[in-house]
């Protein structure tokens, strides 16, 4: 359970008194002059249709995709059962709800057709991945809405850890991969100088998306985040070929 791990990290953090996650086929069939090589090329174009559950699982990262020391915990997912205090509550500004949903579930839209998630740990730090399939239009709309939320929700109020929380969002530069890529950071400040820091890279490839999240406590783990995002985008494209 991802959010339970987040809470455990925060508790350990407090104890240490430190402050801180359809391409269309080319050429008509009755065109006798069509170039055979063109038909072959068109046939090999990746589809924009949503991937299957099996393909989503295959698109997940494995330990060897990340730097040494990172290990997947097969018992953990991002969107696991969580106590209310481990989830961001409904924001005061409704326009920021998508950021809250992404923080809580790892996904950019709740109405997915296939989904798979993985969580990797190294000490108190965590890199996690979500792979989700939607309809092509749905995936595009969700990415547009996420980009708008990042732009408009620089700071908003919510609840976390059983009390009030201030959430700060900032754009984050990430390598452009897939059909669309968005990067941003989310800082949740709550309680007595408690902070949760998460960095996100979200990629859309056709109807499918993947998000990689870097939830760190004492080591930002930027190498794992960047390597993970690059490989996640590569896996996403391969899964729809």
């Amino acid at each position: 359970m991802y959010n339970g791990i987040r809470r455990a990290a925060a508790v350990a953090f407090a104890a240490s008194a430190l402050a801180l996650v359809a391409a269309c086929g080319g050429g008509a069939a009755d065109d006798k002059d069509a170039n055979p090589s063109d038909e072959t090329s068109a046939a090999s174009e990746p589809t924009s249709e949503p991937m299957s559950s099996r393909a989503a699982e295959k698109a997940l990262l494995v330990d060897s995709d990340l730097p040494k020391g990172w290990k997947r915990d097969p018992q953990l997912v991002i969107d696991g059962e969580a106590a209310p205090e481990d989830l961001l509550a409904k924001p005061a500004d409704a326009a920021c709800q998508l950021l809250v949903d992404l923080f809580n579930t790892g996904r950019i839209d709740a109405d997915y057709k296939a989904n798979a998630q993985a969580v990797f740990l190294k000490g108190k730090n965590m890199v996690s991945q979500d792979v989700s399939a939607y309809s092509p239009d749905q995936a595009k709309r969700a990415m547009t809405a996420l980009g708008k939320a990042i732009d408009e929700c620089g700071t908003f109020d919510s609840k976390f850890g059983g009390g009030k929380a201030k959430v700060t969002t900032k754009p984050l530069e990430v390598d452009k991969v897939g059909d669309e890529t968005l990067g941003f950071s989310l800082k949740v400040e709550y309680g007595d100088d408690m902070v949760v820091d998460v960095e996100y890279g979200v990629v859309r490839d056709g109807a499918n998306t993947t998000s990689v999240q870097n939830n760190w406590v004492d080591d930002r783990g930027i190498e794992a985040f960047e390597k993970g995002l690059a490989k996640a985008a590569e896996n996403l494209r391969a899964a729809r070929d």
Side-chain angles (χ1 to χ4, degrees):
M1 180 175 66
Y2 178 64
N3 289 296
I5 293 296
R6 180 188 290 120
R7 178 176 61 180
V11 170
F13 186 59
S16 63
L18 296 174
L20 302 173
V21 168
C24 298
D30 58 352
D31 187 354
K32 296 180 182 180
D33 296 326
N35 188 328
S37 63
D38 291 341
E39 293 178 2
T40 300
S41 174
S44 65
E45 283 294 315
T47 176
S48 64
E49 293 303 306
M51 65 172 61
S52 65
S53 295
R54 182 177 179 181
E57 289 286 347
K58 290 178 63 177
L60 290 175
L61 299 168
V62 296
D63 291 354
S64 59
D65 294 327
L66 301 179
K68 185 178 179 180
W70 288 91
K71 299 292 182 182
R72 180 180 179 182
D73 188 325
Q75 303 301 315
L76 299 179
V77 294
I78 306 170
D79 191 19
E81 295 180 3
E85 63 267 22
D86 290 325
L87 300 173
L88 268 181
K90 184 177 180 179
D93 185 346
C96 307
Q97 183 64 50
L98 181 51
L99 296 173
V100 169
D101 293 340
L102 181 58
F103 180 88
N104 289 338
T105 71
R107 292 185 291 269
I108 61 174
D109 195 308
D111 187 21
Y112 56 87
K113 300 182 181 301
N115 178 256
Q117 296 184 335
V119 174
F120 300 83
L121 304 176
K122 184 179 180 183
K124 301 175 185 177
N125 308 296
M126 184 170 15
V127 167
S128 55
Q129 180 194 12
D130 173 89
V131 179
S132 295
Y134 305 98
S135 69
D137 287 345
Q138 184 183 11
K140 290 180 180 179
R141 287 196 302 270
M143 287 292 283
T144 298
L146 178 59
K148 183 178 180 181
I150 295 169
D151 290 341
E152 296 181 356
C153 297
T155 302
F156 62 93
D157 294 324
S158 181
K159 291 184 178 179
F160 185 75
K164 294 181 179 180
K166 182 178 78 171
V167 183
T168 303
T169 307
K170 294 182 179 180
L172 178 69
E173 186 174 343
V174 294
D175 289 341
K176 301 303 180 183
V177 288
D179 295 331
E180 290 184 84
T181 309
L182 292 171
F184 67 99
S185 64
L186 206 70
K187 180 186 289 289
V188 182
E189 299 173 272
Y190 67 103
D192 296 327
D193 297 324
M194 296 296 294
V195 179
V196 175
D197 280 305
V198 193
E199 294 172 323
Y200 293 86
V202 184
V203 178
R204 181 184 69 83
D205 200 287
N208 308 305
T209 67
T210 188
S211 67
V212 173
Q213 309 177 20
N214 183 29
N215 184 187
W216 57 278
V217 177
D218 57 3
D219 181 0
R220 187 182 172 204
I222 190 64
E223 182 185 3
F225 174 65
E226 292 177 344
K227 288 187 67 173
L229 183 60
K231 183 60 177 177
E234 181 183 320
N235 289 354
L236 194 68
R237 172 53 63 98
R240 76 165 188 155
D241 285 350

